[in-house]
């Protein structure tokens, strides 16, 4: 709020306040009782108090830091000098003089968007104090010598989590927007926020699962994932969807999309205006998509190779029965791309060349530089995950969702804490966040294989490092023409890592780098006119050399890909009606597998 502006004050209704507090008390008591009962039955006291090894990492960091007191003293003096400058400039502002800020938030930092953070001298001081402390803490931690790479990354990651959590925007008394709202509503925002908090605890059965959107505003198959099509085949692990054509003729060679099973396929089919699937259909592709099952304990023993046999290879057989076409063009997204590459190696060993071109969206094959997700991959944490999966038969989808949300904590955690709990607002309906919260489970056998062999040991990049169906996987044997699409700000599959993976194949490779991140970099329809992408006819060994000599093009990369894949279309045929194919229709798209929600 501006310094001389007094907001209207609303006195709370004592009757309504009493009723609200009674509801909150009753709900809180029930939740606490259920939580304690569950903890007792789980034998929580016998568990490792630090299963993720965070405390051990920080102990090692502290020991190293204290071994160089001169360096620590220098860092403290730098912080003291910064604070002295801040106090001087704040005093100038209190006396009505102009003063340049000592530090300013990043342009994309939305925590301090309220005008009072700049206009009000006190809140400006709070903001700058926090930013100075945050910069000092992170630079000091990053400057500690002698830590191994994994420990250093873990310390840096969890330091950032602490710094983000302690932001003044996350607390009632140091957030001007929250204070203003509290005065204007007579505290109704905090009461409403407490009700939201308890509702989220109840939804998570004692664990806090922050609501990111209005879940009642969306329904799969009704207003998202609505591109017309039919389920024409299924296995225990996937349903195969064939989409209804919108052009008189279609490419003779079908397009098979292999999405990740960490999330549901309909990230590529949220709404008509941003649906990659709808756009591909409109370009004349005969589109098939694998919709993965949301597994339960019955599928605990399904392994990575089962996803190959009952997923990709089963889909190829089914597509041939439906269309009469033996060959396909294929797309793999993220983990789906990792599976597609592994399958291509398996098929090469079997002299099976049914996949004539392969496209990889944000796909890692070489996990040497696995990004921030590698923070969660060490023996301590893998043992903990495997212990949890052994009890349930799968990894709970909420665990995976929390991990991904921590990579962007300010956007995907703390912004909702402020909106839902401090401001007392209802979450805004947003299809992308609905998809993000539509978690999927991971079968125990598959997930353990994936984490250990790829993330921890990086065996997929090594010839014969892993075997599927008794066949040693060697990505060097893949000669299929390939298109790699990566995203420059991708925190999940860092583009320099995906670039390393593109060098593992022996066939021709086209590498394209999109602006933005893991989702927005991929889901960027041409009509939106957003972002840009980079191309390069050459594929030098170093990613920086590739970028330095690349050409930037404004807008979406989708047409670039379509021009490339169209060279493998094998001509045109009359449009294929899913209802008149070689296999009976099982149900309408998006199918029953995509509709299973675990929350």
């Amino acid at each position: 709020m501006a310094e001389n502006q007094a907001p209207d004050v609303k006195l709370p209704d004592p009757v309504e306040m009493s009723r609200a507090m009674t509801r909150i008390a009753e709900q809180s008591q029930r939740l606490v009782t259920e939580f304690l009962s569950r903890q007792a039955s789980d034998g929580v006291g016998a568990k490792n108090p630090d299963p993720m090894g965070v405390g051990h990492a920080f102990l090692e960091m502290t020991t190293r830091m204290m071994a160089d007191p001169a360096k620590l003293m220098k860092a403290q003096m730098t912080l003291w000098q910064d604070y002295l400058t801040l106090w001087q400039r704040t005093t100038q502002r209190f006396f009505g003089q102009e003063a340049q800020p000592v530090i300013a938030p990043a342009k994309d930092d939305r925590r301090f968007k309220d005008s009072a953070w700049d206009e009000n001298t006190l809140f400006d001081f709070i903001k700058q104090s926090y930013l100075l402390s945050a910069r000092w803490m992170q630079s000091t931690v990053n400057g500690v010598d002698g830590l191994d790479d994994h420990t250093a990354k873990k310390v840096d990651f969890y330091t950032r989590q602490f710094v983000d959590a302690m932001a003044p925007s996350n607390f009632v008394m140091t957030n001007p927007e929250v204070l203003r709202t509290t005065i204007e509503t007579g505290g109704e925002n905090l009461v409403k926020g407490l009700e939201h908090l308890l509702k989220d605890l109840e939804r998570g059965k004692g664990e806090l699962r922050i609501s990111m959107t209005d879940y009642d505003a969306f329904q799969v198959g009704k207003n998202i994932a609505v591109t017309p099509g039919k389920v024409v085949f299924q296995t225990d692990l996937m349903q195969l969807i064939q989409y209804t054509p919108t052009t008189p003729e279609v490419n003779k060679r079908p397009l098979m999309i292999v999405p990740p099973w960490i999330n549901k396929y309909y990230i590529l089919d949220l709404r008509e205006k941003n649906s990659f699937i709808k756009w591909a259909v409109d370009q004349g592709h005969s589109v098939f998509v694998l919709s993965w099952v949301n597994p339960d304990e019955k599928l605990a023993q399904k392994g990575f190779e089962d996803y190959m046999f009952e997923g990709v290879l089963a889909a190829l057989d089914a597509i041939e029965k439906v269309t009469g076409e033996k060959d396909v063009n294929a797309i793999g997204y993220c983990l789906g791309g990792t599976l597609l590459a592994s399958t291509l190696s398996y098929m090469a060993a079997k002299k099976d060349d049914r996949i004539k071109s392969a496209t990889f969206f944000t796909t890692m094959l070489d996990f040497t530089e696995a990004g921030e997700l590698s923070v969660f991959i060490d023996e301590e944490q893998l043992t903990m995950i495997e212990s949890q999966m052994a009890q349930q038969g799968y990894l709970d989808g909420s665990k995976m969702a929390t991990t991904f949300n921590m990579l962007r904590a300010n956007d995907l955690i703390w912004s909702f804490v402020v909106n839902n709990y401090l401001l007392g607002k209802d979450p805004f309906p947003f299809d992308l966040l609905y998809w993000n919260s539509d978690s999927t489970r991971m079968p125990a056998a598959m997930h353990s294989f994936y984490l250990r062999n790829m993330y921890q040991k990086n065996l997929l990049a090594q010839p014969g490092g892993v075997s599927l169906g008794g066949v040693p996987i060697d990505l060097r044997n893949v000669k299929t023409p390939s298109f790699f699409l990566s995203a420059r700000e991708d925190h999940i599959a860092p583009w320099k890592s995906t670039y390393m993976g593109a060098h593992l194949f022996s066939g021709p490779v086209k590498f394209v780098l999109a602006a933005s991140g893991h989702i927005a970099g991929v889901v960027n329809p041409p009509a939106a006119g957003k972002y840009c992408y980079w191309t390069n006819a050459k594929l030098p060994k170093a990613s920086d050399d590739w970028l330095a000599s690349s050409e930037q093009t404004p807008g979406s990369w989708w047409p670039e890909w379509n021009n490339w894949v169209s060279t493998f279309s094998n001509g045109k045929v009359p449009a294929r009606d899913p209802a008149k194919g070689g296999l009976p229709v099982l149900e309408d798209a998006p199918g029953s597998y995509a509709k299973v929600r675990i929350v």
Side-chain angles (χ1 to χ4, degrees), residues 307-322:
Y307 276 79
M308 180 179 73
F309 288 123
E310 298 179 41
V312 179
L313 295 178
L316 287 172
D317 294 339
I319 290 171
E320 182 176 0
K321 292 177 182 177
V322 169

Side-chain angles (χ1 to χ4, degrees), residues 21-95:
M21 296 310 295
T22 300
R23 290 196 307 270
I24 289 169
E26 291 174 350
Q27 195 172 9
S28 299
Q29 184 179 17
R30 185 176 70 255
L31 285 170
V32 170
T33 301
E34 292 175 355
F35 176 79
L36 291 175
S37 175
R38 188 161 50 250
Q39 294 295 91
S41 64
D42 288 346
V44 70
K47 293 180 179 179
N48 181 356
D50 184 23
M52 303 182 76
V54 178
H56 177 76
F58 273 88
L59 177 61
E60 185 174 348
M61 182 271 293
T62 304
T63 302
R64 301 276 184 179
M65 182 186 294
M66 298 308 294
D68 191 355
K71 188 174 184 180
L72 181 60
M73 182 62 69
K74 182 179 179 181
Q76 290 174 323
M77 287 301 298
T78 299
L79 178 64
W80 174 254
Q81 290 169 354
D82 286 338
Y83 263 116
L84 186 60
T85 303
L86 176 59
W87 291 333
Q88 291 171 340
R89 294 186 184 180
T90 300
T91 301
Q92 288 178 306
R93 284 199 62 183
F94 271 123
F95 283 101

Side-chain angles (χ1 to χ4, degrees), residues 44 59 89 91 110 134 141-142 166 240 329 361 385 414 434 456 490 512 570 581 590:
V44 70
L59 177 61
R89 294 186 184 180
T91 301
R110 290 177 287 184
V141 166
N142 290 337
M166 297 307 295
L240 184 66
N329 295 313
F361 294 167
I385 292 171
W414 297 112
Y434 179 88
Q456 186 185 37
D490 194 337
V512 174
N570 201 26

Side-chain angles (χ1 to χ4, degrees), residues 363-406:
T363 295
M364 284 200 299
L365 304 178
D366 187 322
F367 290 74
T368 302
E369 299 177 12
E372 290 186 331
L373 280 178
S374 62
V375 169
F376 301 94
I377 309 298
D378 55 32
E379 191 59 37
E380 293 170 311
Q381 293 176 90
L382 289 179
T383 300
M384 178 188 71
I385 292 171
E386 289 172 341
S387 175
Q388 293 173 345
M389 293 193 298
Q391 295 177 12
Q392 298 176 305
Y394 55 82
L395 180 68
D396 193 302
S398 65
K399 306 294 185 185
M400 186 70 69
T402 299
T403 298
F404 286 125
N405 290 344
M406 288 174 70

Side-chain angles (χ1 to χ4, degrees), residues 219-519:
Q219 187 175 349
V220 175
K222 295 294 183 182
N223 54 1
I224 49 175
V226 294
T227 300
K230 306 290 184 183
V231 176
V232 295
F233 177 74
Q234 73 179 41
T235 67
D236 287 346
L237 290 178
M238 67 88 182
Q239 288 188 320
L240 184 66
I241 302 172
Q242 180 185 3
Y243 286 93
T244 304
T246 58
T247 55
E249 292 185 321
V250 295
N251 293 337
K252 186 173 187 292
R253 186 166 287 150
L255 177 67
M256 178 183 70
I257 301 177
V258 185
W261 54 95
I262 288 176
N263 293 102
K264 294 184 179 177
Y265 85 89
Y266 67 84
I267 185 58
L268 297 175
D269 190 32
L270 287 174
R271 293 166 292 155
E272 183 175 344
K273 69 177 184 179
N274 66 355
S275 170
F276 177 83
I277 290 172
K278 175 69 166 58
W279 184 85
V281 170
D282 290 344
Q283 307 313 302
H285 291 283
S286 196
V287 179
F288 290 80
V289 173
L290 282 70
S291 174
W292 299 105
V293 73
N294 204 337
D296 56 20
E297 64 279 358
K298 297 175 184 176
L299 300 177
Q301 297 308 312
K302 292 290 186 181
F304 197 85
E305 66 180 28
D306 292 309
Y307 276 79
M308 180 179 73
F309 288 123
E310 298 179 41
V312 179
L313 295 178
L316 287 172
D317 294 339
I319 290 171
E320 182 176 0
K321 292 177 182 177
V322 169
T323 66
E325 291 294 323
K326 181 179 180 181
D327 303 332
V328 305
N329 295 313
I331 295 175
Y333 191 170
C334 190
L335 176 54
T338 307
L339 175 65
L340 176 60
S342 303
T343 304
L344 284 170
S345 176
Y346 175 89
M347 294 173 71
K350 295 290 186 178
K351 310 299 182 185
D352 183 346
D353 64 350
R354 286 180 289 171
I355 297 178
K356 296 303 183 182
S357 78
T359 299
F360 299 91
F361 294 167
T362 60
T363 295
M364 284 200 299
L365 304 178
D366 187 322
F367 290 74
T368 302
E369 299 177 12
E372 290 186 331
L373 280 178
S374 62
V375 169
F376 301 94
I377 309 298
D378 55 32
E379 191 59 37
E380 293 170 311
Q381 293 176 90
L382 289 179
T383 300
M384 178 188 71
I385 292 171
E386 289 172 341
S387 175
Q388 293 173 345
M389 293 193 298
Q391 295 177 12
Q392 298 176 305
Y394 55 82
L395 180 68
D396 193 302
S398 65
K399 306 294 185 185
M400 186 70 69
T402 299
T403 298
F404 286 125
N405 290 344
M406 288 174 70
L407 299 181
R408 293 176 53 210
N410 283 328
D411 291 335
L412 296 178
I413 297 176
W414 297 112
S415 66
F416 294 101
V417 168
V418 174
N419 182 81
N420 301 2
Y421 305 151
L422 301 187
L423 294 173
K425 295 180 180 179
D426 294 325
F428 185 78
F430 190 11
D431 54 2
L432 177 61
L433 291 177
Y434 179 88
W435 166 85
N436 187 59
S437 66
D438 193 3
S439 304
T440 54
R441 307 181 185 98
M442 298 289 107
M446 183 287 303
H447 201 53
S448 180
F449 177 92
Y450 175 56
L451 294 181
R452 286 197 175 276
N453 290 286
M454 297 178 190
Y455 266 100
Q456 186 185 37
K457 300 176 183 178
N458 194 26
L459 294 180
L460 183 61
Q462 302 176 25
V466 297
S467 293
L468 299 176
V471 174
I473 299 303
D474 187 349
L475 297 181
R476 297 175 303 175
N477 294 332
V478 177
K479 297 180 173 60
T480 308
S482 300
F483 183 107
F484 277 76
L485 183 281
S486 297
R488 193 170 184 178
E489 285 82 44
D490 194 337
H491 294 285
I492 295 172
W495 82 269
K496 292 187 177 183
S497 177
T498 63
Y499 187 83
M500 292 169 63
H503 283 83
L504 295 173
F505 291 169
S506 298
V509 170
K510 180 181 178 68
F511 189 88
V512 174
L513 182 64
S516 197
H518 194 71
I519 301 300

